[in-house]
């Protein structure tokens, strides 16, 4: 005598990540291969740690090969390509394009262009219910799938577009005596704007009066930065822990002029404060800043009169240029495919249970009133469970695997063929356990704890 | 010997229980006053539960199904035929458990827990 347990799982998702670069126009950052920059698993992207990027106004694209499916079977409902993207320094204008692309070896298909890409990362996705060459998806198509991104930047214009430039080398003067951390002076203060590292810093000795720490910054990229420059700011992050005399001032060196602004003392250690000095015009020419000026200037700080017991350190310095036109960099940190499919119904046939026990309980409550009367009410089902145990002597391991899969999918199961037909109905699997009986032979004792659906 | 569980729509006759357990619980509060005296008050019955267990040996599947249906329908059941006639009154079924006996033989051992609906006059 046997009985059966059948389950029709709901649709499931298979995530496929890039495992190779098929064709690339974009530049990799943080990893050697482009596909390695975008292969983060769907729920844990590493954002600016590694990514692919371009600010080209021409159309550029990256194609990635994807992992193959393994044991999945069933009907494929759709394939979705998803990416995580942001622009840098300014939102993309409506003239820019950003599309997701897919290829099944016979044909290529593009999504519509996404228009809402700004400086914060966002998820973009597109669903293909049929394959690009037409017709229903097959698992062979999935194994041949390539996915990618295609985009073109376009100029964004505004009054106050800001572009940042970090130190890239020491400048003409690096005169402060004391440092914390290893490397050249510029390497101690070149932290990304949003993540200053106070474990590296530079500070003057008490006799370092009126001395400079100057740094070169990256040149502007004509493919990105354009328009009229309205002003520049030199930002520096500082602290003091002995004395509170203002000691450090933002400084810019351009042409034959080195100009210094207001002196600050910063926060009281371990607190840090970020200050800046602003120049609307080039102090060397008294004219508006040009991009050539930006490429040649140096930024930094200068000391005032450092007291014997004063300590005032800085940990970060960078330049912000305010201008009117930019071709924003488009930065993609994640790209993957989601295959949504309906797994086939699964049926396992087992020997009629050795034991069967049923338990039905309800929430019966008794309410007593002040006059001594009372009321008994039924507040609903507390549980209606069926526990069955049995043993299998043929195809036991395969049948146990099927039951494990049913537990994994979590959908209801339907039982048929039990002698007490009242139990032949739908259940949720609360617990399934099994153990081997008789040494290494294909023989298992199993136990199923079911809650009636 | 048998007893019967009856609702407005159906009834199930079972063998007289092999075991019977009746538990009455009262809400007794103990109030302690500042002068050190105390007072006990009976706030009423918190539960009046009858439990019994036995075997179902005839119409096994239908009998178990009928009791399950009574519970699903939230029905008040009337017990008649118990040797202690004081227990033959109205109840709501709190729980009903049963399991196979002797392998696949058509016999269930069961236990049932009932909350009493009415006090005996």
């Amino acid at each position: 005598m046997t009985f059966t347990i059948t389950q029709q799982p709901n649709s499931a998702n298979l995530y496929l990540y890039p495992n190779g670069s098929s064709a690339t126009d974009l530049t990799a950052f943080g990893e050697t291969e482009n596909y390695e920059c975008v292969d983060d698993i769907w729920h844990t992207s590493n954002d600016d740690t590694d990514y692919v990027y371009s600010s080209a106004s021409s159309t550029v694209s990256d194609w990635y090969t994807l992992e193959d499916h393994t044991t999945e079977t069933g009907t494929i409902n759709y394939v979705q390509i998803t990416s995580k993207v942001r622009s840098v320094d300014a939102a993309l204008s409506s003239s820019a394009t950003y599309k997701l692309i897919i290829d099944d070896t016979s044909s290529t298909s593009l999504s519509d262009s996404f228009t809402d890409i700004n400086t914060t990362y966002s998820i973009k996705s597109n669903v293909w219910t049929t394959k690009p060459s037409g017709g229903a998806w097959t698992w062979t198509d999935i194994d041949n799938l390539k996915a990618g991104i295609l985009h073109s930047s376009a100029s964004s214009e505004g009054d106050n577009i800001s572009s940042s430039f970090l130190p890239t080398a020491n400048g003409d003067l690096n005169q402060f005596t004391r440092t914390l951390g290893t490397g050249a002076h510029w390497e101690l203060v070149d932290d990304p704007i949003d993540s200053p590292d106070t474990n590296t810093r530079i500070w003057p000795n008490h006799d370092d009066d009126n001395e400079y720490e100057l740094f070169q910054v990256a040149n502007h990229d004509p493919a990105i930065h354009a328009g009229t420059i309205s002003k520049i700011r030199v930002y520096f992050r500082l602290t003091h822990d002995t004395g509170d005399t203002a000691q450090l001032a933002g400084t810019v060196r351009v042409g034959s002029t080195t100009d210094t602004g207001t002196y600050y003392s910063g926060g009281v250690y371990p607190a840090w404060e970020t200050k800046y000095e602003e120049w609307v015009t080039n102090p060397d020419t008294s004219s508006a800043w040009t991009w050539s000026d930006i490429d040649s200037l140096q930024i930094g700080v200068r000391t005032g009169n450092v007291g014997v017991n004063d300590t005032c350190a800085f940990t970060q310095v960078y330049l912000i240029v305010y201008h009117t036109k930019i071709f924003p960099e488009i930065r993609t940190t994640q790209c993957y495919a989601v295959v949504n499919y309906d797994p086939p119904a699964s049926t396992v046939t087992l020997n009629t249970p050795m034991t069967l026990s049923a338990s039905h309980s309800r929430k019966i409550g008794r309410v007593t009133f002040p006059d001594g009367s009372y009321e008994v009410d039924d507040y609903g089902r507390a549980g209606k469970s069926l526990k069955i145990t049995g043993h299998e002597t043929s195809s036991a391991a395969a049948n146990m695997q099927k039951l494990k899969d049913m537990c994994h999918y979590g959908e209801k199961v339907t039982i048929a063929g039990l002698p007490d037909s009242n139990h032949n109905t739908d259940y949720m699997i609360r617990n399934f356990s099994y153990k081997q009986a008789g040494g290494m032979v294909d023989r298992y004792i199993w136990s199923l704890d079911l809650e009636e659906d | 010997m048998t007893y019967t569980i009856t609702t407005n729509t159906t009834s199930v006759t079972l063998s007289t229980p092999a075991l019977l357990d009746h538990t009455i619980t009262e809400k007794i509060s103990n109030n302690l006053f500042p002068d050190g005296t105390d007072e006990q008050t009976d706030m009423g019955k918190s539960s009046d539960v009858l439990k019994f267990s036995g075997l179902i040996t005839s119409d096994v599947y239908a009998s178990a199904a009928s009791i399950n249906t009574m519970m699903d329908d939230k029905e008040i059941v009337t017990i008649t035929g118990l040797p202690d006639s004081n227990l033959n009154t109205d109840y709501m079924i709190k729980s009903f458990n049963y399991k196979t006996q002797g392998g696949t033989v058509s016999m269930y051992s069961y236990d049932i827990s009932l909350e009493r609906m009415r006090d005996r006059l």
Side-chain angles (χ1 to χ4, degrees):
Chain A
M1 292 283 286
T2 60
F3 76 107
T4 59
I5 303 175
T6 303
Q7 184 186 55
Q8 173 59 65
N10 279 347
S11 62
N13 286 332
L14 170 66
Y15 291 82
L16 300 175
Y17 297 98
N19 62 0
S21 299
S22 175
T24 56
D25 292 330
L26 308 182
T27 305
F29 175 85
E31 294 280 3
T32 305
E33 295 287 339
N34 284 34
Y35 79 91
E36 295 172 320
C37 299
V38 294
D39 63 352
D40 314 325
I41 58 175
W42 67 273
H43 54 74
T44 312
S45 75
N46 60 16
D47 292 356
D48 284 340
T49 302
D50 57 47
Y51 52 83
V52 292
Y53 69 95
S54 171
S55 59
S57 55
S58 59
T59 300
V60 290
S61 62
D62 256 17
W63 282 101
Y64 310 114
T65 56
L66 302 172
E67 300 165 325
D68 291 348
H69 83 293
T70 53
T71 60
E72 295 78 11
T73 58
T75 305
I76 298 169
N77 299 315
Y78 61 81
V79 175
Q80 174 181 291
I81 304 300
T82 298
S83 75
K84 190 173 184 182
V85 61
R86 78 176 181 97
S87 58
V88 179
D89 289 334
L92 287 192
S93 74
S94 58
S95 301
T97 58
Y98 185 88
K99 298 180 179 182
L100 298 170
I101 49 181
I102 193 169
D103 186 287
D104 64 1
T105 69
S106 298
S107 297
T108 297
S109 177
L110 288 73
S111 71
D112 291 337
S113 185
F114 297 93
T115 57
D116 54 345
I117 294 172
N118 54 41
T119 55
T120 303
Y121 274 111
S122 60
I123 303 288
K124 307 301 177 192
S125 62
N126 193 71
V127 168
W128 282 266
T129 54
T130 56
K131 57 186 178 182
S133 56
W137 288 101
T138 68
W139 289 104
T140 302
D141 297 328
I142 299 303
D143 292 346
N144 294 329
L145 199 62
K146 284 189 284 191
I149 50 180
L150 176 149
H151 57 72
S152 61
S153 189
S155 64
S156 294
E157 298 191 19
D159 293 335
N160 253 333
I161 294 170
S162 61
S163 295
S164 59
F165 299 85
L166 303 182
T168 57
N170 282 343
D172 294 341
L173 299 168
N174 293 94
Q175 299 173 307
F176 290 9
T177 304
R178 297 178 180 272
T179 59
L180 177 64
T182 57
H185 281 208
W186 71 272
E187 294 174 295
L188 306 179
V189 294
D190 67 340
D191 313 319
I193 293 174
D194 295 330
S195 53
D197 176 11
T198 56
N199 292 316
T200 60
R201 64 186 81 143
I202 303 172
W203 68 100
N205 206 355
H206 68 86
D207 54 0
D208 289 339
D209 292 346
N210 303 313
E211 295 193 338
Y212 292 92
E213 280 290 332
L214 295 175
F215 308 99
Q216 298 179 42
V217 294
N219 288 350
H220 85 289
D221 184 344
I224 300 175
H225 310 104
T228 303
I229 299 169
S230 58
K231 62 189 175 189
I232 70 164
R233 286 178 178 173
V234 173
Y235 283 80
F236 51 108
R237 187 167 179 78
L238 71 164
T239 186
H240 72 269
D241 64 0
T242 304
D244 58 1
T245 305
Q247 295 180 23
L248 298 181
T251 300
V252 65
R253 183 181 182 92
V254 56
S256 58
T257 301
T258 304
D259 196 38
T260 297
T262 304
Y263 284 87
Y264 297 97
S265 59
V268 179
Y269 186 81
W272 295 76
E273 286 181 359
T274 298
K275 300 293 184 182
Y276 68 85
E277 191 60 46
E278 180 176 296
W279 286 268
V280 174
T281 56
N282 179 338
D284 190 50
T285 62
S286 298
S287 301
W289 288 98
T290 66
W291 288 107
S292 175
D293 297 335
I294 301 302
D295 292 346
S296 64
L297 62 69
Q298 295 176 21
I299 63 168
V301 296
R302 182 191 186 195
T303 53
N305 294 316
V306 182
V308 174
N309 296 317
D310 283 358
T311 298
C312 190
F314 72 107
T315 189
Q316 185 184 39
V317 62
Y318 55 89
L319 171 69
I320 301 284
V321 178
Y322 293 84
H323 55 112
T324 57
K325 190 174 183 180
I326 192 169
F327 290 84
E329 174 188 310
I330 301 173
R331 185 176 292 186
T332 301
T333 191
Q334 200 174 31
C335 182
Y336 56 88
V338 181
V339 181
N340 182 272
Y341 65 103
D342 291 331
S346 173
T347 297
V348 60
T349 301
L350 303 170
N351 295 323
T352 299
M354 294 186 296
T355 68
L356 178 151
S357 63
S359 180
H360 188 175
S361 58
R362 301 193 67 82
K363 295 172 185 160
I364 305 296
R366 174 181 288 255
V367 180
T368 306
F369 299 104
D371 64 359
S373 62
Y374 65 88
E375 190 175 279
V376 177
D377 291 311
D378 184 329
Y379 295 103
R381 189 171 101 178
K384 194 172 184 182
S385 63
L386 180 70
K387 291 183 181 178
I388 49 180
T389 64
H391 72 283
E392 300 306 311
T393 54
S394 63
S395 303
N399 286 339
M400 297 302 102
Q401 183 60 46
K402 284 184 180 178
L403 284 167
K404 280 197 292 184
D405 289 343
M406 290 179 182
C407 290
H408 169 74
Y409 285 123
E411 304 303 329
K412 70 179 181 184
V413 297
T414 302
I415 288 187
L418 287 175
D420 181 349
S421 61
N422 296 302
H423 293 132
N424 294 328
T425 184
D426 295 339
Y427 299 90
M428 302 292 285
I429 300 176
R430 192 185 292 283
N431 179 272
F432 167 61
S433 59
Y434 65 99
K435 61 181 180 180
Q436 202 168 38
M440 297 302 290
V441 295
D442 188 24
R443 181 188 295 257
Y444 284 101
I445 298 171
W446 55 265
S447 171
L448 262 176
D449 186 354
L450 308 160
E451 179 72 19
E452 189 171 314
D453 190 40
Chain B
M1 293 286 286
T2 60
Y3 74 103
T4 305
I5 304 173
T6 306
T7 69
N8 288 336
T9 56
T10 187
S11 68
V12 176
T13 298
L14 303 172
S15 301
T16 300
L19 291 170
L20 185 148
D21 182 354
H22 187 192
T23 302
I24 299 169
T25 306
E26 297 282 332
K27 289 177 187 161
I28 305 296
S29 66
N30 185 53
N31 301 311
L32 184 63
F33 298 102
D35 63 2
T37 61
D38 55 29
E39 180 182 278
Q40 286 71 43
T41 308
D42 185 338
M43 308 293 287
K45 190 177 293 180
S46 62
S47 68
D48 187 342
V49 176
L50 183 66
K51 293 180 183 175
F52 40 78
S53 58
L55 293 173
I56 306 175
T57 55
S58 63
D59 292 330
V60 176
Y61 303 156
S63 298
S66 291
I67 297 172
N68 273 316
T69 301
M70 291 174 185
M71 295 177 72
D72 287 336
D73 294 342
K74 301 183 179 182
E75 291 190 279
I76 296 171
V77 302
T78 302
I79 302 280
T80 57
L82 289 174
D84 181 352
S85 61
N86 296 314
L87 302 176
N88 291 327
T89 184
D90 296 340
Y91 298 88
M92 292 195 83
I93 304 174
K94 288 170 66 80
S95 67
F96 174 53
N97 307 306
Y98 59 98
K99 60 183 179 182
T100 52
Q101 290 287 296
T104 57
V105 177
S106 298
M107 180 188 298
Y108 286 144
S109 64
Y110 75 94
D111 65 74
I112 192 164
S113 178
L114 306 152
E115 180 74 31
R116 189 171 183 138
M117 294 294 294
R118 293 187 177 84
D119 284 323
R120 190 171 63 86
L121 294 176

